[in-house]
C-alpha cells in the first residue's frame, strides 16, 4: 500500500481549554475522500484546522504529497465562516452596511479579490471564469465583498478552492447558504476535481454527498469513528424535556392585522435592480415560507421589513399598519420584530457574554447598553435554562462553537416574544439534532399566534407550521401559494 | 469679518469658555419631538452629512440634501450617496426656502462661502446648525438675527456615528446654542432633539458653547490627538531602524501599537494604561513621561496661546488663501517618511508585547494627554470639555493610524486638524532631538523587562501610582466614563 497523504498519530487538540480531540489516529490514503461528521462542538473544525496548519496541537501529523502530481502539494481549507476584511485590513462591519449606498468602496470587489488570489497562487484566470459561469457568479465580479450575502461568500470561497485544486481540499460545511441548484452544481464540480486527483475532506451533516466521497467517519468523544456510509442513526423527533417558559406562551397583541403590505416595491443600486415590483401582504398570525435562489433578493426584502434598508423611504409599503417613512423610527419598527439571519450573526458583536447577547434582544441592540429590570433579567435566565445554555451563560459568545452561538442568537430573537419572527436560514450551522429541535420549537412558539417569516432552502430544515409560500426569482415574485402537505420541494 | 472671540470682553470670553454641563439622560425624554414634522435640509453629503442624515431619517425625521449645482450636475459622489439612499436632493434654491432646520456639513474651509450663499435663502425664524464652530468663532461669521444658530458636534468620524447608531448606541456629542442667535429661545430644545436623532444622547452629551468647543477642539487635535501621535510614531520608527531593529517589525509595532495602547486608555484612563506595564516598566515610563512633559510644555502652551488669540486661525487662513501651500508641502513630506513607506511586516506581535516593547509610546501618550488637559484647563476650559478633546478622542485617532498609518489619519481628520497637526509636528521634532538621542531599544523595539529582575522600591511605586490616579484628567474621566457607559461597562469583561 502507498504512503498515506496525511498520517495523524496520537493527536490531542484543545478548544477553549477543553480537550476536544483525544489521542486520535487517522490515515488518509491516496484515492480516499472523506466525509467527517459529528454533532456541533465535537471538534470537527478543530481537526480540520490542525490538518490545514491553522491550529496548535500535540501529537504527530505528517504529510506525503504526491511529488509527481501537477496539483499544488498543499492543503487548502475552506472555513464554514469566512471573515473578510476591508481594504485597510479591518473586519469591523455592521450588517446594515451592505444595503447603504456608498461611493467610497470599503472592501475589494469580487473580481479584485479573485485576481489577487490567482496571482498569489499563480493560477490562470481562464480556469476561474469557467467556475464563475458554472456557479452563476459572473454578475458579482464588480460587487464589493461587503455586498455579498453569506451564501454568495460561500460560493466565492468554493470558487477559489476549485480553482486552486490542492492535493488535499478540506471544506467545512460546503452546503450552508447554497440554494438547491448551486448544491447540485457543486457536487459535479467536486467530482470533477476529485477525478483529477484532488482528495477531499468534507465536514457536514448531510447524507446527500458527491459520489466521489468514499470514506465516512464521525468524531465522537474526541475519537475518529469509521462509518459504513453517510447515514446517521435516526434522531428522535421529540423535543427533549424542558417546558417552554410561560412568557413565550402569551399571545402577541397586534396593533394592526396588517403586518406587511408592499405595493410595487423596487430597490436598485445604480443600474442593478434587486427587487422589482414586489407586492406582498402578510397578515397577523400567518406563517410564511420565503424561498428563492441565492441572490434572488430575499435578504433585501427582509431588510425592508426590519427597517434596515435606506431605500425604504422611497417605496410604498406598510408595516404594522403604518406607512413606512411616516415619522416612525427604526426602533419603533424593530420592537415588534425578532430577526435572525446568517448575515446578522456574521456581523454580531461576539465580544459580549451569552447572557448579555440574549438580553440585548429586549432593546434590539447589538451589545447591551442598559441595566435590565428584574422582571426582564429573570426572563433571560429562564430562556437560557430552556435552551440548555446555563453553563455557558458567562462565556463570551466568540468562544462558543458556531452552532451554539446560533442558538444564543435564536434565544435573543425570541426573548421579547415578538409579534413577528423573521427566521432567515436560522438552522445554518446547526447539526441535525439541533435543527430538528429548533424547528419543533418554532412550531411550538408560533402556536401562540405569532407571525412567522421563515427562509429555508431544504425540506428537511423546515418547521411544520408553515402555511404559505412566496418564491422570489431575480428580484421578482415568482409565485405566492398555499402550502399543501405535498407541495414542498 | 472679525474673530468673534476677540470681540468679546474678557468676562464674556471666560463665561463662554466655561459653558460645560454633562447632561442627564432625563433631559432627553422629549426625544425628537422638537423637530418632528419639521423640514430638515442638510448642506453637503460627505462623511458627517450622509451618516448624520441616515440616522436622523431613521429616527423618524424628514431629511433632504441641498448640494451645490456642480455636484448635482456632475453627479459627484455626494450626489450619488444622497440619491443612492433615496434622499431627496435639490439645489439651494429648491430646498432652502422651506427648510426649518438647515444643517451645514460642508468642510470648515468652505463655511464662509457656503453660509453666505445659504443664509439669504433661509426663511424667517429658521435654524442653522453646525457640527464645528470654527466659522462662527474664528471667522466671526455674522448670522441674520432672526435665525437660531446651534451646534451638534459628534465626537467621532461619520462612519462611527452611523455604525454606533444602528447597533443601538451612539457617540458622545457636544451641543451648543450661539448666544448671539437664539431669538426664540428654541435653540437648546432643537439641539437636544437633533442629538437624539443621531443617537448621541445614549453615549453622553456635553452642553458646551461654540467658543469652548472650538478652542478645545483645536487644541486637542493639534497637540495630543494628531500632532503628538504623528511625531511620536515617526520618531519611534526612525529610532528602531537606526538601532537595527527589523523595519517590518518596527512598522507594525508603531502602526498598531498606538491602537492597542490607547485601547487601555479608553477603558481605564491614563492609570489604566500605565497599569498594563510591569512595575519596573511603569516607573521608567513615568520618569520618561515627566521628562517629556517638561520638554514639551512650552510648545503646548504656545499652541494654546495661539489658538486663544486667534493667531493660529489667522496663519491657517493665510495658507488657505495661498492655495494651501504649506499644508500640501507638509502632507507630501509626511507621505515620504520611512514609517509611511515601510509596510507592516508579517510578524506576530502579542497584545502585551505592544506595551512591553513600546514603552516610549506609553510615555508619549501619558505626557500628551496630561499636558493637553492641563494646558486647556489653565486657559479656562472646563475639565469635562478638556477630557473629551484629549483623552476621549485619542483612541479614535489611534484607530485611524492602525488602519492605514498617518496618511489615513490625516485624510480622515478635518483640514484644520491636519494643518495644526503638521504645525505641531514641525516644531516638536527638533524640540525632542536631544531627548531622542538618549533613547535606546529598551524603550522602543525590545522588551523593557528583559534582563531586569523586576524589583522596585515600594514607596516610589506607591507615590507614582498616587500621582497618576489623582491627576484631574483621571478624576473627571472616571466620572464621565461611568456616565457615558454605565452601559458599555457591562460590555467589557
Ligand atoms: N470628520 C469628522 O470626524 C468630523 C467630526 C465632527 C464634526 N465634523 C464637522 O463636520 C463638518 C463636515 O465635515 P466632513 O468631514 O463630513 O466633510 P467632508 O466629508 O469633506 O464632506 C463635505 C461635503 O461638503 C460638500 N462641499 C464641499 N465644498 C463645498 C462647497 N464649497 N459648497 C457646498 N458644498 C461643498 C462636499 O460635496 P461636493 O464636493 O460633492 O459638493 C461634501 O459632500 C465640518 O464642519 C467638520 O468640522 C467632522
Amino acid at each position: 500500500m502507498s504512503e498515506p497523504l496525511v498520517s495523524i498519530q496520537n493527536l490531542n487538540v484543545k478548544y477553549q481549554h477543553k480537550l476536544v480531540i483525544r489521542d486520535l489516529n487517522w490515515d488518509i490514503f491516496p484515492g480516499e475522500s472523506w466525509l467527517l461528521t459529528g454533532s456541533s462542538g465535537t471538534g470537527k473544525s478543530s481537526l480540520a484546522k490542525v490538518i490545514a496548519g491553522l491550529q496548535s496541537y500535540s501529537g504527530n501529523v505528517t504529510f506525503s504529497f504526491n511529488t509527481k502530481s501537477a496539483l499544488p502539494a498543499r492543503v487548502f481549507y475552506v472555513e464554514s465562516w469566512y471573515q473578510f476584511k476591508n481594504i485597510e485590513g479591518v473586519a469591523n462591519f455592521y450588517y446594515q452596511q451592505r444595503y447603504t449606498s456608498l461611493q467610497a468602496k470599503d472592501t475589494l470587489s469580487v473580481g479584485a479579490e479573485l485576481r489577487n488570489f490567482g496571482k498569489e497562487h499563480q493560477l490562470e484566470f481562464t480556469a476561474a471564469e469557467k467556475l464563475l459561469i458554472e456557479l452563476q457568479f459572473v454578475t458579482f465580479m464588480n460587487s464589493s465583498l461587503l455586498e455579498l450575502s453569506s451564501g454568495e461568500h460561500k460560493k466565492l470561497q468554493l470558487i477559489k478552492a476549485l480553482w486552486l485544486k490542492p492535493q488535499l481540499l478540506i471544506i467545512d460545511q460546503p452546503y450552508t447558504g447554497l440554494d438547491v441548484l448551486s448544491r447540485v452544481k457543486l457536487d459535479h464540480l467536486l467530482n470533477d476535481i476529485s477525478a483529477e486527483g484532488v482528495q477531499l475532506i468534507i465536514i457536514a451533516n448531510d447524507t446527500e454527498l458527491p459520489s466521489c466521497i468514499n470514506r465516512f467517519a464521525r468524531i465522537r468523544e474526541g475519537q475518529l469513528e469509521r462509518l459504513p456510509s453517510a447515514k446517521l442513526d435516526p434522531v428522535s423527533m421529540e423535543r427533549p424535556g424542558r417546558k417552554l417558559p410561560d412568557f413565550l406562551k402569551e399571545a402577541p397583541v397586534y396593533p394592526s392585522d396588517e403586518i406587511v403590505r408592499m405595493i410595487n416595491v423596487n430597490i436598485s443600486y445604480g443600474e442593478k435592480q434587486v427587487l422589482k415590483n414586489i407586492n406582498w401582504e402578510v397578515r397577523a398570525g400567518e406563517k410564511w415560507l420565503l424561498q428563492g435562489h441565492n441572490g434572488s433578493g430575499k435578504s433585501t426584502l427582509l431588510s425592508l421589513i426590519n427597517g434596515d434598508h435606506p431605500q425604504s423611504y422611497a417605496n410604498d409599503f406598510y408595516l404594522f399598519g403604518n406607512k413606512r417613512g411616516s415619522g416612525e423610527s427604526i426602533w419603533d419598527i424593530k420592537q415588534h420584530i425578532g430577526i435572525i439571519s446568517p448575515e446578522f450573526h456574521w456581523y454580531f458583536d461576539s465580544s459580549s457574554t451569552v447572557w448579555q447577547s440574549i438580553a440585548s434582544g429586549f432593546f434590539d441592540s447589538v451589545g447591551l447598553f442598559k441595566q435590565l429590570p428584574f422582571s426582564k433579567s429573570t426572563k433571560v435566565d429562564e430562556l437560557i435554562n430552556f435552551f440548555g445554555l446555563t453553563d455557558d451563560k458567562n462565556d463570551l459568545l466568540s468562544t462558543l462553537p458556531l452552532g451554539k452561538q446560533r442558538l444564543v442568537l435564536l434565544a435573543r430573537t425570541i426573548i421579547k416574544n415578538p409579534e413577528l419572527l423573521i427566521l432567515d436560514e436560522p438552522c445554518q450551522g446547526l447539526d441535525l439534532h439541533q435543527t430538528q429541535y429548533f424547528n419543533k420549537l418554532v412550531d411550538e412558539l408560533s402556536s401562540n399566534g405569532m407571525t412567522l417569516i421563515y427562509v429555508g432552502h431544504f425540506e428537511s430544515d423546515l418547521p411544520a407550521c408553515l402555511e404559505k409560500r412566496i418564491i422570489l426569482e431575480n428580484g421578482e415574485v415568482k409565485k405566492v401559494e398555499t402550502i399543501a402537505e405535498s407541495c414542498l420541494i | 469679518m472679525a474673530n468673534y472671540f476677540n470681540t468679546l470682553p474678557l468676562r464674556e470670553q471666560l463665561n463662554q469658555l466655561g459653558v460645560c454641563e454633562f447632561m442627564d439622560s432625563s433631559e432627553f425624554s422629549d426625544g425628537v419631538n422638537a423637530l418632528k414634522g419639521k423640514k430638515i435640509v442638510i448642506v453637503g453629503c460627505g462623511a458627517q452629512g450622509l451618516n448624520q442624515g441616515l440616522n436622523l431619517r431613521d429616527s423618524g425625521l424628514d431629511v433632504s440634501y441641498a448640494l451645490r449645482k456642480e455636484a448635482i450636475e456632475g453627479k459627484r459622489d455626494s450626489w450619488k450617496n444622497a440619491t443612492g439612499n433615496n434622499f431627496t436632493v435639490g439645489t439651494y434654491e429648491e430646498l432652502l426656502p422651506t427648510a426649518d432646520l438647515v444643517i451645514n456639513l460642508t468642510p470648515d474651509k468652505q463655511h464662509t462661502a457656503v453660509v453666505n450663499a445659504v443664509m439669504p435663502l433661509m426663511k424667517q425664524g429658521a435654524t442653522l446648525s453646525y457640527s464645528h464652530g470654527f466659522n462662527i468663532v474664528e471667522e466671526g461669521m455674522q448670522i441674520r438675527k432672526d435665525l437660531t444658530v446651534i451646534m451638534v458636534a459628534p465626537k467621532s468620524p461619520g462612519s462611527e456615528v452611523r455604525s454606533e447608531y444602528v447597533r443601538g448606541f451612539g457617540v458622545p456629542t457636544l451641543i451648543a446654542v450661539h448666544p448671539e442667535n437664539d431669538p426664540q429661545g428654541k435653540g437648546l430644545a432643537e439641539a437636544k432633539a437633533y442629538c437624539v436623532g443621531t443617537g448621541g444622547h445614549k453615549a453622553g452629551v456635553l452642553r458646551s458653547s461654540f467658543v469652548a468647543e472650538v478652542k478645545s477642539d483645536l487644541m486637542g487635535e493639534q497637540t495630543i490627538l494628531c500632532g503628538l501621535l504623528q511625531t511620536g510614531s515617526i520618531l519611534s520608527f526612525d529610532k528602531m531602524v537606526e538601532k537595527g531593529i527589523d523595519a517590518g517589525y518596527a512598522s507594525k509595532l508603531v502602526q498598531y501599537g498606538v491602537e492597542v495602547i490607547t485601547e487601555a486608555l479608553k477603558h481605564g484612563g491614563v492609570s489604566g494604561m500605565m497599569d498594563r506595564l510591569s512595575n519596573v516598566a511603569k516607573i521608567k515610563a513615568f520618569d520618561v513621561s515627566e521628562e517629556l512633559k517638561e520638554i514639551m510644555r512650552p510648545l503646548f502652551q504656545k499652541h494654546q496661546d495661539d489658538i486663544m488669540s486667534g493667531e493660529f486661525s489667522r496663519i491657517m487662513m493665510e495658507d488657505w488663501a495661498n492655495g494651501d501651500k504649506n499644508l500640501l508641502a507638509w502632507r507630501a513630506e509626511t507621505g515620504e517618511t520611512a514609517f509611511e513607506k515601510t509596510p507592516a511586516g508579517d510578524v506576530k506581535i502579542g497584545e502585551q508585547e505592544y506595551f512591553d516593547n513600546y514603552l516610549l509610546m506609553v510615555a508619549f501618550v501619558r505626557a500628551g494627554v496630561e499636558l493637553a488637559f492641563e494646558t486647556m484647563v489653565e486657559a479656562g476650559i472646563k475639565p469635562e470639555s478638556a477630557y473629551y478633546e484629549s483623552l476621549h478622542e485619542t483612541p479614535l485617532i489611534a484607530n485611524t493610524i492602525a488602519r492605514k498609518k498617518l496618511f489615513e489619519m490625516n485624510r480622515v481628520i478635518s483640514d484644520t486638524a491636519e494643518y495644526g497637526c503638521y504645525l505641531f509636528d514641525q516644531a516638536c521634532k527638533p524640540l525632542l532631538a536631544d531627548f531622542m538621542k538618549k533613547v535606546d531599544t529598551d524603550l522602543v523595539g525590545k522588551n523593557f523587562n528583559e534582563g531586569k529582575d523586576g524589583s522596585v522600591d515600594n514607596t516610589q511605586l506607591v507615590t507614582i501610582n498616587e500621582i497618576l490616579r489623582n491627576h484631574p484628567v483621571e478624576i473627571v474621566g472616571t466620572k464621565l466614563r461611568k456616565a457615558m457607559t454605565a452601559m458599555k461597562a457591562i460590555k467589557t469583561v
Side-chain angles (χ1 to χ4, degrees), chain B residues 408-477:
Chain B
E408 172 70 1
M409 175 184 84
N410 284 307
R411 189 183 66 79
V412 169
I413 60 180
S414 68
D415 27 16
T416 47
E418 187 179 2
Y419 187 88
C421 165
Y422 297 142
L423 207 60
F424 179 92
D425 184 44
Q426 294 289 323
C428 194
K429 275 199 211 119
L431 201 60
L432 291 174
D434 283 340
F435 166 84
M436 285 306 295
K437 283 195 194 120
K438 297 180 300 180
V439 171
D440 207 338
T441 49
D442 59 336
L443 295 191
V444 56
K446 295 202 175 136
N447 190 337
F448 179 80
N449 302 301
E450 225 168 69
K452 302 193 175 59
D453 69 358
S455 65
V456 293
D457 179 68
N458 279 319
T459 43
Q460 191 189 10
L461 186 65
V462 170
T463 315
I464 286 176
N465 279 335
E466 256 169 35
I467 295 175
L468 290 172
R469 287 183 214 305
N470 288 322
H471 191 280
V473 77
E474 292 297 275
I475 296 177
V476 68

Side-chain angles (χ1 to χ4, degrees), chain B residues 2 37 48 88 130-131 158 163 214 270-271 302 320 349 482:
Chain B
Q48 289 292 330
T88 303
Y130 289 86
S131 281
S163 64
V214 170
V270 173
S271 32
K302 176 173 172 17
W320 292 359
I349 303 183
K482 210 180 279 159

Side-chain angles (χ1 to χ4, degrees), chain B residues 44-49 68 71 76 78 92 105-108 110-111 114 131-132 154 156-157 412:
Chain B
C45 190
Q48 289 292 330
R68 49 178 166 176
R76 291 208 191 132
S78 54
Y92 294 178
L105 292 173
T106 57
D108 298 301
Q110 311 298 333
H111 282 187
V114 170
S131 281
H132 181 36
S156 271
V412 169

Side-chain angles (χ1 to χ4, degrees), chain B residues 35-313:
Chain B
L35 291 174
K36 199 112 209 186
K38 301 247 166 90
K39 197 163 144 52
I40 300 174
V41 176
I42 300 179
V43 183
C45 190
Q48 289 292 330
L50 174 64
N51 291 301
Q52 288 191 24
L54 286 165
N55 290 1
L56 291 170
R57 182 173 65 175
D58 277 348
S59 296
L61 299 174
D62 173 6
V63 179
S64 48
Y65 286 86
L67 300 179
R68 49 178 166 176
K69 273 209 182 65
E70 308 94 277
I72 298 176
E73 279 160 10
K75 302 197 168 176
R76 291 208 191 132
D77 284 357
S78 54
W79 179 85
K80 286 189 189 146
N81 284 340
T83 52
N85 291 300
N86 277 177
F87 285 103
T88 303
V89 178
T91 59
Y92 294 178
E93 289 76 14
E94 285 164 350
L95 295 178
L96 295 174
T98 51
D100 299 295
L101 168 63
V102 175
I103 303 179
N104 170 19
L105 292 173
T106 57
D108 298 301
K109 205 184 277 191
Q110 311 298 333
H111 282 187
T112 297
V114 170
V115 173
N116 279 331
V118 163
M119 202 166 28
L121 296 167
M122 286 177 67
K123 74 175 177 197
Q124 280 285 317
T127 301
L128 175 67
S129 178
Y130 289 86
S131 281
H132 181 36
F134 190 86
N135 183 234
I136 292 286
V137 176
E138 300 294 316
E139 299 188 278
M141 175 56 82
Q142 298 291 315
I143 308 294
R144 240 171 51 203
K145 284 301 163 204
D146 61 294
L147 300 177
T148 303
V149 175
I150 61 172
M151 174 168 58
V152 174
K155 294 284 114 189
S156 271
S159 51
E160 208 104 337
V161 170
R162 180 64 178 160
S163 64
E164 286 297 319
Y165 177 85
V166 289
R167 69 192 284 248
F169 199 50
V171 303
T173 303
L174 256 55
I175 66 174
V177 181
H178 189 35
E180 315 293 332
N181 284 85
D182 193 16
Q184 306 171 40
K186 64 175 181 176
L188 184 61
E190 291 191 349
K192 284 199 291 186
Y194 173 176
C195 188
V196 170
T198 58
H201 67 303
K202 293 181 181 168
V205 181
L206 201 61
R207 181 163 176 211
S208 181
S209 69
F210 275 69
V211 165
E213 189 269 341
V214 170
K215 300 295 185 187
S216 58
D217 187 76
L218 289 175
M219 179 62 187
E221 68 191 19
Q222 35 190 273
T223 57
I224 168 63
L225 300 180
C226 309
L228 190 61
L229 291 188
Q230 163 146 352
T231 306
S233 296
I234 293 175
L235 291 179
S236 299
F237 179 82
D238 290 348
K239 174 57 72 178
M240 281 189 271
V241 173
E242 173 202 322
K243 294 282 176 184
I245 304 244
D246 173 66
Y249 178 86
S251 175
K252 182 159 186 185
L253 187 71
V254 172
Q255 180 172 351
Y256 298 98
V258 271
E259 186 178 58
V260 176
I261 289 167
T262 57
E263 182 67 17
L265 182 77
K266 173 162 109 192
H267 292 286
V270 173
S271 32
M273 172 183 75
M274 298 285 282
D275 285 347
R276 292 298 308 265
L277 300 171
S278 71
N279 289 333
V280 253
K282 188 200 264 184
I283 292 174
K284 181 70 182 175
F286 180 83
D287 291 342
V288 173
S289 53
E290 288 291 297
E291 189 181 348
L292 283 169
K293 278 177 82 170
E294 204 175 303
I295 301 171
M296 296 190 297
R297 191 180 297 276
L299 181 61
F300 276 65
Q301 287 171 340
K302 176 173 172 17
H303 275 261
Q304 185 72 76
D305 292 348
D306 288 350
I307 289 166
M308 284 297 178
S309 69
E311 177 64 9
F312 166 74
S313 345

Side-chain angles (χ1 to χ4, degrees), chain A residues 86-90 92 94 96 99-104 267-269 307-308 310-315 324 327-332 334 349 351-352 356 364-371 396, chain B residues 36 50-51 54 57-61 76-78 80-86 159 162-169 202 255-256 259 399 402-404 408 411 486-493:
Chain A
N86 75 2
I87 297 170
E88 288 144 13
V90 287
N92 199 1
Y94 52 97
Q96 292 93 338
Y99 306 120
T100 309
S101 195
L102 252 189
Q103 289 310 305
I267 300 288
S268 49
Y269 301 106
D308 286 330
Q311 291 189 40
S312 302
Y313 295 93
N315 275 295
R324 182 74 175 101
E328 77 290 350
S329 78
I330 55 171
W331 310 107
D332 295 336
K334 287 174 192 286
D349 173 15
S351 65
S352 307
Q356 290 163 345
D364 309 303
S365 60
V366 174
L368 183 61
F369 308 113
K370 288 187 187 159
Q371 293 283 359
L396 294 189
Chain B
K36 199 112 209 186
L50 174 64
N51 291 301
L54 286 165
R57 182 173 65 175
D58 277 348
S59 296
L61 299 174
R76 291 208 191 132
D77 284 357
S78 54
K80 286 189 189 146
N81 284 340
T83 52
N85 291 300
N86 277 177
S159 51
R162 180 64 178 160
S163 64
E164 286 297 319
Y165 177 85
V166 289
R167 69 192 284 248
F169 199 50
K202 293 181 181 168
Q255 180 172 351
Y256 298 98
E259 186 178 58
N399 169 263
R403 285 189 196 182
K404 231 182 177 181
E408 172 70 1
R411 189 183 66 79
M487 327 142 174
K488 255 192 182 155
I490 305 181
K491 270 199 59 155
T492 51
V493 205

